[in-house]
Amino acid sequence: MPRSASSAVDKALDLVEAVARADRPQRLADLAQTAGLHRATAYRVLLDLVRRGWVMRVGEHYLPGPSAIGLTAAAANHSLTALCRPVLAELAARTDMMVNLQVLEADRSRVIDVVRPARLGMISDLLGEHLPVHRFAGPLALVAALDGQARDPYLAVAEAQGHDRADLIADLDRVRTDGFAVEHGRNDKLIASVSRAVLAGNGRPLCAVTIVGPDAEFGPARLRQLRRDLTTATAQVSALLGEVAADR
């Protein structure tokens, strides 16, 4: 049923959100129902949203437009960084290891924040770098949470570097079962890392928290403790994101 009176801004934002949150391209009738608007009203608002680039129309379907995609990706990363920084700082202090936060992009992950103890100043923080799935724990943890064809762009980068697809899929499946990605020396023989993804309610990977340090400090007993610390940290991030969603 259509809602009672709402502002033009409310109507536009309701439609933008309906398009952005849908798991497939939406028709006018679908969007009008989701936003609680009459079809004619939804159509008029969508015309303006398409003109401004917030929504894109393809045939009879509507998808997120370039303005929405560009703004939401950048804004989401800035917000995520601000929200998670205290958790990263606490984890780095507790472990005396470098800790980073990563998100998935088109075919790699990207490091969007890093907390690095002074003693590890010799280790590159890779802030802003795009990391391939076959060399780093962060993208391995994130891509492991994807299903089927969603993994393909990340696997293609590895295959182009001569890595076997079947072996990579086996690695991803092991990480998905275990919940942790561990790397010893694939990118740097002296550096090791362990990573865990934070997942949305539908299983989609939102981000990954990764602990990085000297490989010599990643013995079995220490690694078990790091996994426990990482579990606590990712649970904190998940709770923070849940609180933000609940406030909407």
Side-chain angles (χ1 to χ4, degrees), residues 136-138 140-141 175 178-183 193-196 227 230:
F136 296 89
L140 192 62
V175 171
D178 182 55
F180 297 88
V182 180
E183 289 288 5
S193 56
V194 55
S195 184
R196 183 171 174 83
R227 286 164 63 111
L230 196 51

Side-chain angles (χ1 to χ4, degrees), residues 84-95 99 115:
C84 296
R85 171 48 80 104
V87 177
L88 300 187
E90 180 184 349
L91 182 58
R94 185 187 314 133
T95 61
V99 177
V115 178

Side-chain angles (χ1 to χ4, degrees), residues 190-212:
L190 300 178
I191 306 301
S193 56
V194 55
S195 184
R196 183 171 174 83
V198 176
L199 307 180
N202 61 4
R204 179 174 60 87
L206 298 173
C207 60
V209 179
T210 306
I211 299 173
V212 183

Side-chain angles (χ1 to χ4, degrees), residues 93-113:
R94 185 187 314 133
T95 61
D96 200 24
M97 296 280 193
M98 182 163 66
V99 177
N100 70 48
L101 184 69
Q102 298 179 40
V103 294
L104 278 180
E105 296 199 345
D107 58 4
R108 296 169 173 83
S109 72
R110 185 163 65 89
V111 179
I112 62 172
D113 197 18

Side-chain angles (χ1 to χ4, degrees), residues 3 16-17 20 43 53 115 179:
R3 283 199 287 259
V16 169
E17 290 178 353
Y43 179 72
V115 178

Side-chain angles (χ1 to χ4, degrees), residues 143-209:
V143 177
L146 300 177
D147 293 313
Q149 292 183 336
R151 293 177 171 180
D152 286 349
Y154 308 94
L155 294 174
V157 172
E159 288 180 286
Q161 297 295 316
H163 292 265
D164 182 75
R165 182 184 181 90
D167 288 344
L168 288 165
I169 290 175
D171 284 345
L172 291 168
D173 289 343
R174 280 193 294 271
V175 171
R176 184 165 184 158
T177 298
D178 182 55
F180 297 88
V182 180
E183 289 288 5
H184 288 279
R186 283 196 184 182
N187 183 62
D188 185 321
K189 294 186 182 303
L190 300 178
I191 306 301
S193 56
V194 55
S195 184
R196 183 171 174 83
V198 176
L199 307 180
N202 61 4
R204 179 174 60 87
L206 298 173
C207 60
V209 179

